[in-house]
Amino acid sequence: MPDVLDDTTPTHCPYCALQCGMNLRGRAEAVEVVERPDFPVNRGALCGKGRTAPALLSSRVRLTEPLVRRPATGRLEPATWEEALRTVATGLSRTRTVYGPDAVGVFGGGGLTNEKAYALGKFARVVLGTSQIDYNGRFCMSSAAAAHQRAFGLDRGLPFPLEDIPRSGCVILVGSNLAETMPPALRYLTELRENGGTLIVVDPRRTRTAEQADLHLAPRPGTDLALALGLLHVAVAEGRTDEEFIRDRTSGWGEARAAAMAHWPELVERITGVGVPELREAVRMFCDAESAMVLTARGPEQHSKGTDTVSAWINLCLATGRAGRPFSGYGCLTGQGNGQGGREHGQKADQLPGYRKLDDPAARAHVAGVWGVTPESLPGPGRSAYELLDALGGDVKSLLLMGSNPVVSAPRAAHIEGRIRSLDFLAVADVVLSETAALADVVLPVTQWAEETGTTTNLEGRVLLRQKAVQAPPGVRSDLEVLSALAGLLGHEKGFPADPEEVFEELRRASAGGPADYSGITYRRIAEEDGVFWPCPEDGTGARTHPGTPRLFLERFATPDGRARFIAVGHRPAAEEPDAEYPVLLTTGRVVSQYQSGAQTRRVDELNAAAPGPFVELHPLLAERLGAVEGEPLAVVSRRGRAVGPARITTGIRADTVFMPFHWPGEGRVNSVTNPALDPTSRMPEFKVCAVRVERVPG
Ligand SMILES: Nc1nc2c(c(=O)[nH]1)N[C@H]1C(S)=C(S)[C@@H](COP(=O)(O)OP(=O)(O)OC[C@H]3O[C@@H](n4cnc5c(=O)[nH]c(N)nc54)[C@H](O)[C@@H]3O)O[C@H]1N2
Ligand SMILES: Nc1nc2c(c(=O)[nH]1)N[C@H]1C(S)=C(S)[C@@H](COP(=O)(O)OP(=O)(O)OC[C@H]3O[C@@H](n4cnc5c(=O)[nH]c(N)nc54)[C@H](O)[C@@H]3O)O[C@H]1N2
Ligand code: SF4
Ligand SMILES: [Mo]
């Protein structure tokens, strides 16, 4: 049982991208979280999930031995590690022999440490030789990442540390409910307002976050693109653009300006439901301030036009000179524990470590050199997450899954669950028996968070060391040990070390010279410096003295000519608009006490007591039209399926919209309903809007 190695160990929370610092203390089943006030990001504060995270270390809830599905019973039953690993190796290699390497798929997660994400990407390309690898980050911040790339030439979620937020004059927070999704970060918004800055929140719901705002805009879900263009239109019409900044530091304004001018305020009011006076007020607040920021999260991003929507918000920043300057700029609030690092080191379908592109010959040559293989042996880019899941049982016959629970979290989940069930072979490495692990042929119980050392990169681009604080139960191995053993069984004895620091040292070299350059970072530096911001290159002599880069773009953007690029975008409707049969809009998201698919947090008593199940949030006018009362079960039905939850009636949501959180399986699984329409650039599914009908459930 978990046994504390030292008296207190400084480490980081297992959950979200804030990666709050905490100390762990105690022994056996009584590991205790102690405040770590010296860590700058959260200064000691934790949300309930972080505070209760040690509950997951208990063998009562977590897996402690490998499971193999027995043909005789059809059930998952305990097995030795030797048998389990051999079964996985055989399962994957059989598929490869019969159907070729691309019939083997790999699915990763943004919660995996940098070392794991790196090793998983390398394992797929070098050991399995497959192009078919992607990960759940595709469902998360991929639209913002794509928009970042095309505007700035680089994708780091926040180009500045969180501590810059209170020093800005105005923040527009678009589709982020950080009071629930990153509670300790709310402090930065409170301080912003205490310092005289203003806060504008854009959300179809009056969330706990929106309640803090000086101005709350509540657009119809799926219309942020029009909203951002309308604000830019007003800024141009009222002479609030920064011509000098546009001339000296950007390109492409002519086309972007023309596109925005087609979105006049009255039209935008019609599309979004946000009144013209509010549009003007928002522009006044944003432009009157000496410095200003736009921060987006999943609200505007998880759409089939998420990339263009983020581009429109970036255009607003660029046109008004609110980018590449102190306390100004556009940022995306990344979500998962290693949402940032997880998208940099090669578990994404089109990517090599260091945020290199898989189709770039120089990148292939560099990484192949580090890996000791030929560039020609590296496969090309594969499919995006939804497309990969959708291909399971089709041309992808076997899957190795690490760090995701798509049976609950993927869009059109009943269909995806069916695809997973139709696989020839599924292996899942997890800490708990998730809904997806329960469908596997082999389940590998792995160490987690406090039981292992590794680095994560938080939403600021700050590389952190999550240190091992307790001993894992004896039957459990780390993801790195699993990959190392499987590589060995598949003929690669070398190149897959199980020691995280050894993997990090290789990752450093693989990332050297790439956009996300970690070569100047060491475990020691991270521990001594409260994290190190990338890029942090090693200098010419091999010294690791580069201070890291907390603030990007102050002199130049990361494009070849150093200028930020405007992207000309125009509004378009959601993939599915309401009609007579499905007259209501559904949007989805999170509650403070559950995390993601709930695989972890649904196993923590205190969190379950606070958030026991799904619900359908709706406006009194809609409830009245249905004849529904508070607490009665309602079914939300789309062309893809239905989800049921008790009515939660509130005036804090638009009357044309219902909201459901996505943390639960079974009949409350809202992803049975959601629309997998994909963004053409980022391949992000449309989690945040689809057309539904709401029905009372008889009996
Ligand atoms: N408690 C908790 N915290 C978490 C997580 C968790 O599962 N639980 N997950 C972590 C992860 S991986 C992520 S990605 C982040 C997500 O963090 P957030 O993005 O803050 O979370 P969401 O609740 O998905 O969405 C935010 C808001 O978007 C609004 N919204 C819905 N549709 C639209 C729209 O069309 N436009 C706009 N402007 N807003 C819209 C919703 O009403 C919601 O309040 O949270 C991280 N933190
Ligand atoms: N309707 C709707 N659906 C959504 C969203 C939404 O807003 N609305 N948001 C999307 C977003 S932003 C995200 S990020 C996804 C997330 O959805 P998922 O990818 O399902 O995320 P988790 O529930 O965090 O799943 C992580 C799994 O990995 C396990 N795990 C944790 N740590 C480790 C580890 O170190 N190693 C291994 N091997 N396993 C580990 C956990 O126990 C869990 O089973 O959901 C997406 N789905
Ligand atoms: S805000 Fe995020 S990182 Fe901080 S304690 Fe809560 S879940 Fe953990
Ligand atoms: Mo996410």
Side-chain angles (χ1 to χ4, degrees):
M1 292 305 92
D3 210 6
V4 166
L5 302 177
D6 283 317
D7 281 350
T8 11
T9 310
T11 191
H12 297 274
C13 176
Y15 300 115
C16 87
L18 208 54
Q19 283 299 285
C20 293
M22 57 169 67
N23 288 317
L24 291 181
R25 180 175 75 191
R27 23 187 73 249
E29 299 264 329
V31 177
E32 204 190 346
V33 170
V34 186
E35 245 184 51
R36 185 178 160 194
D38 57 316
F39 184 68
V41 175
N42 60 310
R43 294 184 225 154
L46 297 169
C47 79
K49 296 185 298 303
R51 206 168 23 74
T52 57
L56 286 174
L57 302 170
S58 161
S59 51
R60 198 170 56 80
V61 299
R62 57 96 48 85
L63 294 165
T64 53
E65 55 191 354
L67 305 172
V68 171
R69 192 171 299 280
R70 303 279 172 213
T73 61
R75 288 224 294 269
L76 282 170
E77 285 170 21
T80 63
W81 269 98
E82 202 207 336
E83 184 196 358
L85 288 168
R86 212 175 354 93
T87 312
V88 177
T90 311
L92 300 180
S93 60
R94 186 177 294 146
T95 296
R96 194 177 47 169
T97 310
V98 178
Y99 301 99
D102 277 352
V104 183
V106 176
F107 201 88
L112 301 178
T113 60
N114 290 316
E115 292 78 359
K116 295 178 187 189
Y118 172 84
L120 192 64
K122 182 179 174 185
F123 181 84
R125 271 82 179 219
V126 174
V127 177
L128 300 174
T130 182
S131 66
Q132 300 300 303
I133 173 169
D134 210 53
Y135 79 120
N136 69 5
R138 193 69 81 153
F139 297 161
C140 188
M141 38 20 77
S142 61
S143 291
H148 257 283
Q149 291 280 11
R150 63 188 193 185
F152 305 127
L154 185 76
D155 160 40
R156 197 182 85 188
L158 291 178
F160 39 69
L162 286 168
E163 66 184 51
D164 282 8
I165 291 176
R167 297 157 80 183
S168 187
C170 175
V171 172
I172 308 185
L173 190 63
V174 191
S176 156
N177 183 13
L178 64 71
E180 298 212 45
T181 53
M182 300 180 178
L186 190 60
R187 191 195 73 222
Y188 293 102
L189 300 179
T190 314
E191 287 174 7
L192 164 81
R193 298 191 63 225
E194 283 166 4
N195 293 345
T198 51
L199 175 65
I200 303 170
V201 171
V202 182
D203 196 306
R205 303 158 58 222
R206 195 178 62 243
T207 59
R208 285 188 211 168
T209 314
E211 279 168 5
Q212 309 293 315
D214 298 285
L215 179 64
H216 172 206
L217 308 179
R220 201 167 166 264
T223 64
D224 296 84
L225 181 45
L227 182 73
L229 289 164
L231 296 177
L232 182 51
H233 186 292
V234 172
V236 173
E238 298 188 352
R240 307 301 299 253
T241 53
D242 184 336
E243 298 301 324
E244 203 180 309
F245 182 88
I246 292 172
R247 190 191 61 223
D248 295 343
R249 300 209 49 198
T250 70
S251 61
W253 173 227
E255 295 82 359
R257 182 183 190 279
M261 294 323 276
H263 297 75
W264 59 95
E266 292 72 17
L267 172 67
V268 169
E269 175 176 307
R270 240 182 4 256
I271 297 172
T272 63
V274 176
V276 175
E278 293 166 282
L279 295 175
R280 292 192 202 288
E281 175 67 1
V283 170
R284 192 193 58 70
M285 286 164 70
F286 190 66
C287 294
D288 278 356
E290 210 150 291
S291 55
M293 296 173 171
V294 173
L295 303 176
T296 66
R298 302 307 80 77
E301 297 170 15
Q302 288 173 322
H303 292 273
S304 60
K305 55 176 176 294
T307 308
D308 283 356
T309 299
V310 174
S311 288
W313 286 106
I314 293 175
N315 288 351
L316 176 68
C317 291
L318 294 176
T320 54
R322 272 105 212 306
R325 285 178 168 165
F327 316 120
S328 281
Y330 164 76
C332 148
L333 299 166
T334 295
Q336 298 182 82
N338 195 28
Q340 181 66 47
R343 74 206 208 214
E344 298 165 0
H345 300 296
Q347 60 177 330
K348 191 158 171 266
D350 58 355
Q351 201 187 57
L352 288 170
Y355 224 131
R356 288 183 156 93
K357 296 288 284 178
L358 192 47
D359 57 9
D360 168 5
R364 293 171 70 88
H366 171 81
V367 175
V370 175
W371 288 352
V373 299
T374 60
E376 304 74 56
S377 71
L378 296 177
R383 292 183 175 89
S384 77
Y386 181 77
E387 292 162 294
L388 176 56
L389 295 171
D390 191 33
L392 301 181
D395 53 283
V396 179
K397 308 283 186 194
S398 291
L399 184 73
L400 171 64
L401 183 136
M402 198 172 257
S404 180
N405 185 15
V407 166
V408 178
S409 58
R412 197 187 173 200
H415 167 74
I416 292 303
E417 181 177 341
R419 301 318 309 157
I420 292 172
R421 286 178 187 276
S422 74
L423 279 165
D424 289 357
F425 182 77
L426 172 66
V428 176
D430 206 310
V431 178
V432 296
L433 192 67
S434 72
E435 286 70 20
T436 310
L439 303 182
D441 298 289
V442 179
V443 181
L444 303 170
V446 291
T447 53
Q448 51 176 322
W449 164 61
E451 299 161 350
E452 58 183 21
T453 294
T455 61
T456 59
T457 305
N458 84 343
L459 77 175
E460 306 168 286
R462 190 195 294 257
V463 185
L464 299 168
L465 188 63
R466 230 199 237 157
Q467 295 200 72
K468 176 170 176 171
V470 299
Q471 198 60 44
V476 164
R477 296 193 187 171
S478 75
D479 289 302
L480 291 178
E481 284 173 315
V482 165
L483 292 174
S484 177
L486 287 176
L489 289 171
L490 294 166
H492 292 255
E493 260 95 62
K494 289 225 176 80
F496 291 87
D499 175 60
E501 193 163 5
E502 222 177 296
V503 178
F504 187 80
E505 288 299 305
E506 185 182 308
L507 179 160
R508 284 197 321 106
R509 287 189 288 122
S511 77
D517 191 330
Y518 282 41
S519 59
I521 306 178
T522 61
Y523 273 22
R524 178 109 171 257
R525 274 195 68 178
I526 302 173
E528 283 167 2
E529 297 173 32
D530 286 333
V532 181
F533 289 81
W534 71 257
C536 180
E538 194 175 70
D539 78 10
T541 65
R544 304 194 193 161
T545 50
H546 188 287
T549 316
R551 294 174 182 83
L552 294 166
F553 312 143
L554 292 179
E555 259 101 65
R556 67 193 306 277
F557 295 95
T559 51
D561 64 3
R563 291 167 175 272
R565 292 182 283 239
F566 280 101
I567 308 293
V569 291
H571 182 69
R572 56 182 190 271
E576 192 178 62
E577 287 284 321
D579 55 20
E581 211 181 333
Y582 300 101
V584 176
L585 294 169
L586 167 72
T587 193
T588 64
R590 296 160 164 81
V591 298
V592 65
S593 296
Q594 296 287 353
Y595 189 69
Q596 313 274 61
S597 73
Q600 291 160 287
T601 47
R602 280 186 278 111
R603 289 174 165 81
V604 179
D605 296 340
E606 186 181 326
L607 300 176
N608 274 333
F615 55 85
V616 179
E617 190 176 291
L618 77 169
H619 192 275
L621 288 173
L622 180 55
E624 194 183 280
R625 214 157 63 231
L626 297 165
V629 298
E630 178 75 14
E632 84 165 80
L634 294 177
V636 174
V637 186
S638 76
R639 290 181 176 82
R640 292 153 297 278
R642 62 189 253 137
V644 178
R648 194 176 278 189
I649 301 171
T650 166
T651 54
I653 187 167
R654 294 175 55 93
D656 56 6
T657 302
V658 295
F659 168 86
M660 283 187 81
F662 78 99
H663 310 292
W664 291 273
E667 73 160 7
R669 176 175 71 184
V670 75
N671 275 323
S672 301
V673 181
T674 50
N675 188 357
L678 300 182
D679 180 292
T681 308
S682 65
R683 318 305 285 168
M684 164 74 85
E686 194 137 79
F687 286 117
K688 285 290 190 271
V689 62
C690 70
V692 297
R693 164 172 89 228
V694 184
E695 296 170 345
R696 301 179 66 193
V697 181

